[in-house]
Amino acid sequence: MLEEETESLANLNPDDYEFVQNAIGLEMGIMASEAMHGTNDFGDPMIDMMNGEDTTLTIEDFKYIQDANYMSDYQPFPPSEPQQLCNSDYAGPYAFEVFVDPNVMKNPWEYSALLNKIYIDMKHKFPINFSVKSHDPEQKMFVRVMPMFEEDRYFQEPVHRCICHGQAQDPTNNGVSELVAQHIIRCDNPNARYFGDKNLGRRLSVVIPLSSPQVGTDSVKEFFHFVCKNSCVGGMNRRPIQIVFTLEDVCGTVRGRRVLCVRICSCPKRDREKEEKKREQENHSTTSSKKRRVDKKLPAPPSPPTSDNTDTRIFPLQLDVVGKENYKQMLKFCQTLMSNEIYEAKSANLAPFEKCREQVTQMLNTIPE
């Protein structure tokens, strides 16, 4: 049976090797390698060790194994990079939601509901709650945590740590690989995987499997912490960032997306109050500006009626008009003039206009057919 499976894998080309490893498992990948080449020609130290060729691992070999995310019990994960970049909220078919615990005394973080923004100093842990509904527990789901710049002009640039904090001597990098040290955010979940490489221009993200909520709860809580600041030179360079949480299946299909703005600073409370005050002033200024623009469009109110600027003198008209229709049109025109004077109330004394209109109306009614 094993020989038949090995022969069926002999038709694989080298490009399919990684797919076989991810989709079937490490052992099948080893068989595919041996079927194509007879021996291990991939330079993979893990395969060499499992084939019994050399069980002595150098530091470089161990680093390779660690960065490649080898696991004794293989578990499928979404692709290393998101299929598309987007920072718009999308609840999706499972009503995906992300919650931040509210501010309480002695919390190292500050959350602004007005700005949908969390303020926290580096190396301090903070919880994020994930919630999904109408989800089949048998279907494995994952949450990708990816930092992005808020401003459109920096949208395509990957967010990574500054040179200072990225050094191997930095205390935050003890016991982590060089690739993990590039990430500004880390997760306490032991099953979290870190993808991307700034040296290759690949966007950095952390992917964690979404577990089921505990009995009596409807959300899953995960803890994160930052290892770099917004003000760090050579990293974020004081540019505002946001964290995009995407709910994905094993194929990387996005099933939901939520965005949380972040400021990593030394004084979270001060910065939160400062930015909230600025936003409130901007909203007030915008509202006042709109009101001024509306006021400019409104017509000026009519001036109060006075007896000085309206002519109420009476001029009798004795005229022989030729033609019945011409006579009717002349009377209607006079009737309209008097009605306008009454409706516009240009004069405080409307009696002369009302009397004239009444006379014209009577004349119109007495015209023979």
Side-chain angles (χ1 to χ4, degrees):
M1 183 66 180
L2 181 61
E3 289 77 11
E4 294 178 358
E5 292 180 352
T6 304
E7 291 178 1
S8 64
L9 293 171
N11 296 325
L12 290 176
N13 56 56
D15 294 336
D16 295 330
Y17 172 70
E18 183 178 357
F19 173 79
V20 173
Q21 275 190 316
N22 293 335
I24 304 177
L26 182 60
E27 292 78 10
M28 294 297 288
I30 296 173
M31 292 197 309
S33 172
E34 294 176 347
M36 287 185 291
H37 301 279
T39 59
N40 171 30
D41 293 334
F42 288 88
D44 191 329
M46 176 61 80
I47 295 179
D48 291 339
M49 182 180 67
M50 295 186 68
N51 285 341
E53 296 180 5
D54 184 6
T55 58
T56 303
L57 297 179
T58 64
I59 295 178
E60 289 75 13
D61 293 338
F62 180 77
K63 175 184 174 183
Y64 176 87
I65 295 172
Q66 185 182 22
D67 291 345
N69 289 316
Y70 280 105
M71 300 177 64
S72 58
D73 51 342
Y74 174 78
Q75 295 180 359
F77 257 67
S80 59
E81 289 189 287
Q83 296 179 355
Q84 292 181 344
L85 296 180
C86 184
N87 59 351
S88 300
D89 282 326
Y90 168 59
Y94 303 129
F96 180 56
E97 294 291 345
V98 174
F99 305 98
V100 180
D101 288 349
N103 302 330
V104 296
M105 188 176 296
K106 296 184 179 180
N107 268 355
W109 70 87
E110 293 280 334
Y111 175 71
S112 171
L114 174 64
L115 304 174
N116 185 33
K117 191 169 186 176
I118 187 171
Y119 301 79
I120 190 170
D121 199 356
M122 62 180 292
K123 296 189 290 186
H124 287 287
K125 297 181 181 181
F126 64 96
I128 296 291
N129 299 280
F130 302 102
S131 172
V132 295
K133 297 179 181 178
S134 304
H135 167 244
D136 183 6
E138 298 298 327
Q139 183 182 10
K140 291 185 178 296
M141 302 299 291
F142 303 83
V143 175
R144 185 185 300 274
V145 185
M146 182 174 60
M148 298 177 63
F149 288 112
E150 281 191 44
E151 300 178 3
D152 293 339
R153 54 179 172 170
Y154 304 121
F155 187 78
Q156 296 294 336
E157 294 186 23
V159 181
H160 56 79
R161 299 179 74 187
C162 65
I163 299 176
C164 179
H165 288 132
Q167 295 292 328
Q169 296 80 8
D170 190 88
T172 59
N173 298 328
N174 292 337
V176 301
S177 67
E178 181 180 349
L179 294 180
V180 175
Q182 298 178 9
H183 293 252
I184 70 166
I185 186 171
R186 296 180 187 171
C187 181
D188 286 2
N189 190 320
N191 295 321
R193 293 196 185 182
Y194 297 80
F195 294 107
D197 187 348
K198 70 172 185 178
N199 299 321
L200 300 178
R202 295 178 179 175
R203 193 172 291 273
L204 306 176
S205 63
V206 184
V207 179
I208 56 176
L210 184 63
S211 58
S212 300
Q214 295 296 322
V215 177
T217 64
D218 58 356
S219 62
V220 177
K221 181 175 294 187
E222 298 285 353
F223 283 86
F224 300 87
H225 65 278
F226 294 100
V227 286
C228 208
K229 293 186 177 182
N230 283 86
S231 58
C232 287
V233 179
M236 289 173 274
N237 283 327
R238 299 187 180 278
R239 293 174 290 182
I241 67 168
Q242 54 192 0
I243 304 298
V244 180
F245 300 91
T246 53
L247 180 68
E248 302 179 9
D249 57 21
V250 70
C251 298
T253 304
V254 176
R255 303 296 184 180
R257 185 187 309 107
R258 292 299 178 186
V259 180
L260 176 66
C261 297
V262 174
R263 179 172 177 81
I264 313 161
C265 53
S266 300
C267 301
K269 184 177 181 180
R270 180 200 64 185
D271 290 353
R272 177 185 63 82
E273 294 175 348
K274 181 179 178 180
E275 292 190 2
E276 284 183 340
K277 183 178 180 180
K278 181 180 179 182
R279 173 62 62 86
E280 291 174 353
Q281 291 176 347
E282 290 176 352
N283 293 341
H284 178 72
S285 176
T286 302
T287 304
S288 301
S289 177
K290 289 182 179 179
K291 185 177 180 180
R292 286 196 297 269
R293 288 197 295 268
V294 171
D295 291 343
K296 289 180 180 179
K297 295 179 181 179
L298 293 177
S303 57
T306 61
S307 58
D308 299 333
N309 58 0
T310 303
D311 189 359
T312 58
R313 293 175 296 174
I314 299 175
F315 297 88
L317 179 63
Q318 295 179 356
L319 181 65
D320 296 331
V321 180
V322 179
K324 178 180 177 181
E325 291 299 325
N326 293 336
Y327 178 63
K328 290 174 62 176
Q329 292 297 328
M330 186 189 71
L331 292 177
K332 289 182 179 179
F333 180 71
C334 181
Q335 185 185 44
T336 302
L337 288 177
M338 297 301 103
S339 297
N340 289 339
E341 292 288 344
I342 295 172
Y343 292 147
E344 294 178 4
K346 293 182 178 180
S347 174
N349 183 16
L350 300 178
F353 302 102
E354 293 175 348
K355 182 179 180 181
C356 181
R357 186 180 65 174
E358 184 178 353
Q359 292 175 349
V360 172
T361 302
Q362 291 178 356
M363 294 173 67
L364 283 170
N365 293 334
T366 57
I367 297 176
E369 295 295 337

